[in-house]
Amino acid sequence: MPLPFAIPVGLLVGMTLAWLARSELARSEVPLVLARPFLVALGLSVLVFAPVVGYFAAFHGDWAYLYLVRWNRVPSALDLAFVLVAAAQIPLGFALASPWAIAKRSSRFLTASAIALGVVLAASAVTARRLGVSATYAQYQGGFGAVPIGRSPLGRGVLLSWAVLAAGYAWTAHVLRSARSRRP
């Protein structure tokens, strides 16, 4: 996933997880950062989301930066910082949406979710050409050698990463919902 997209996607994932965990959060007597649903969301962030974002930053850097900068000129520490900021978005989104979820304020939750989703969709529309090709920075800027994403290892990586994210999200949602059905 391109690094600029990871921030709103992570926020959206965290917010939806907070909504799924609203019953357990309402019953929780510990601070949010120690509540089981928050730790489950943090686990998704650390074990699934961060490696997915890190994969693209490490192996398809020019694409991850949307061909705006030469990836080989970006310090690796900056790559790491971007990946960590992106990974922090799931727990941040969870924490931001938790008060709305506990209070069952669906209108505020839906508004914030719609904004995050709108940002992702608008950015996707604006950068569709950049997202649809696999190339180096020089190839993309020079207009030569770009390959459609579906015919490249990058395309397989994107497909696999979305499958892994979907499976991780589904498992996390299952864990959070199963706790709701076990309540006394």
Side-chain angles (χ1 to χ4, degrees):
M1 151 177 338
L3 294 172
F5 286 70
I7 291 172
V9 168
L11 281 171
L12 188 59
V13 167
M15 290 167 45
T16 59
L17 292 175
W19 189 259
L20 290 174
R22 66 188 177 274
S23 298
E24 188 174 351
L25 287 171
R27 291 189 320 270
S28 180
E29 296 178 6
V30 297
L32 178 65
V33 295
L34 298 177
R36 188 184 81 78
F38 181 85
L39 296 175
V40 170
L42 182 63
L44 174 69
S45 178
V46 170
L47 298 175
V48 179
F49 195 69
V52 164
V53 174
Y55 166 77
F56 292 107
F59 295 108
H60 302 285
D62 290 326
W63 183 81
Y65 285 101
L66 298 171
Y67 306 110
L68 296 172
V69 296
R70 286 184 189 270
W71 169 63
N72 58 0
R73 294 199 178 156
V74 175
S76 60
L78 193 57
D79 283 339
L80 177 61
F82 284 140
V83 170
L84 293 175
V85 166
Q89 299 311 301
I90 290 178
L92 179 62
F94 191 95
L96 290 173
S98 289
W100 301 327
I102 292 168
K104 296 182 181 171
R105 292 191 176 143
S106 59
S107 62
R108 288 190 180 176
F109 169 78
L110 289 174
T111 301
S113 297
I115 290 169
L117 184 59
V119 167
V120 171
L121 293 176
S124 296
V126 169
T127 60
R129 183 173 179 276
R130 292 172 185 268
L131 292 171
V133 296
S134 176
T136 65
Y137 175 85
Q139 289 172 326
Y140 184 84
Q141 297 299 333
F144 69 93
V147 177
I149 195 171
R151 295 185 192 155
S152 69
L154 171 60
R156 290 185 290 280
V158 169
L159 183 62
L160 182 60
S161 72
W162 280 103
V164 167
L165 278 174
Y169 182 86
W171 179 255
T172 304
H174 168 74
V175 167
L176 293 174
R177 290 180 145 231
S178 67
R180 193 181 334 168
S181 65
R182 286 185 283 142
R183 71 177 178 194

